[in-house]
Amino acid sequence: VFICGSICGGTGAGTFLDMAYFVRNVASLISKSSIYIYGMLGLASLFEGIQGDANIKPNCYASLVELDHFMNPFTYQNEYRRFFPAYKNIGPKQWDYSKSAENGPFDFPFLFDKTNSAGFSLSSGAAFSEMVARFIYLLTGHEVAQEWQSMDNNIRKNLDTTYLYQKFQKPNNYRSMGTFSVMFPRRM
């Protein structure tokens, strides 16, 4: 399941965690097999230069702090620290939301920035949307999906032994992606 949006204020920032936990709960009720929840989350730089952008960076920072808190196993493996969604008017009364909080909200949280480390920038919000749409297609309807899952599983196993994990005592949960182009020589 892909949850796409901005975490810079408004509806996206206000609901992205609730939505992830809600989707996890509904999925556990309708299927015994596990699902993956992808968070495709746009960062503050995507909104630079728009009118009324004074709160975009503080909102983004607050969302990232909240996301980091709930993605930390120390939080969700401790029943007294974990997020416990209690949606009163959604679904039958017998729904037990506590199961959805036994994991982090996302299995694969992707954070999208406007500019990569080489200085290449996305030209607009539409370019961001197109990049996310292509990525979703590659992971759902393309032969690349199986290879990517295999590669990511191998990487995940090794992330917990890295220097950063040992230094900060928390896993490397986040993913990112960038834009690139492949140039083929023109044949006459």
Side-chain angles (χ1 to χ4, degrees):
V1 174
F2 292 87
I3 298 173
C4 305
S6 153
I7 57 172
C8 301
T11 306
T15 63
F16 77 106
L17 290 172
D18 291 308
M19 185 62 65
Y21 282 117
F22 184 73
V23 166
R24 193 175 295 285
N25 183 65
V26 170
S28 72
L29 294 171
I30 61 176
S31 174
K32 295 295 179 203
S33 61
S34 63
I35 63 158
Y36 291 121
I37 300 177
Y38 295 80
M40 313 303 269
L41 309 170
L43 299 176
S45 66
L46 294 169
F47 300 94
E48 286 176 350
I50 66 167
Q51 188 174 13
D53 67 349
N55 290 327
I56 290 175
K57 286 183 180 177
N59 290 341
C60 184
Y61 176 76
S63 295
L64 287 171
V65 168
E66 204 170 43
L67 175 64
D68 194 55
H69 173 75
F70 289 114
M71 289 296 297
N72 191 337
F74 179 71
T75 300
Y76 64 76
Q77 291 173 355
N78 180 332
E79 65 181 298
Y80 299 106
R81 294 178 58 90
R82 75 173 58 138
F83 179 79
F84 185 76
Y87 307 110
K88 296 181 181 186
N89 298 320
I90 300 176
K93 290 183 181 184
Q94 69 270 19
W95 278 17
D96 178 13
Y97 292 100
S98 63
K99 292 289 181 197
S100 67
E102 291 176 354
N103 294 302
F106 297 99
D107 297 299
F108 301 99
F110 282 86
L111 304 175
F112 290 89
D113 205 3
K114 182 177 183 177
T115 306
N116 68 14
S117 61
F120 177 78
S121 292
L122 296 172
S123 59
S124 66
F128 161 70
S129 299
E130 183 179 341
M131 184 170 65
V132 170
R134 286 177 187 232
F135 184 69
I136 291 171
Y137 165 72
L138 287 173
L139 288 185
T140 58
H142 197 270
E143 60 205 33
V144 169
Q146 225 172 1
E147 293 296 324
W148 184 84
Q149 285 288 357
S150 174
M151 181 182 63
D152 194 73
N153 286 338
N154 290 333
I155 291 170
R156 272 182 174 226
K157 289 176 186 172
N158 295 318
L159 283 177
D160 289 342
T161 60
T162 64
Y163 166 76
L164 288 177
Y165 178 79
Q166 293 166 0
K167 181 177 178 182
F168 297 113
Q169 293 300 307
K170 63 185 205 177
N172 301 308
N173 289 314
Y174 305 101
R175 310 285 190 279
S176 66
M177 61 176 292
T179 58
F180 65 92
S181 61
V182 178
M183 304 295 282
F184 293 101
R186 184 174 161 191
R187 295 187 184 180
M188 303 285 259

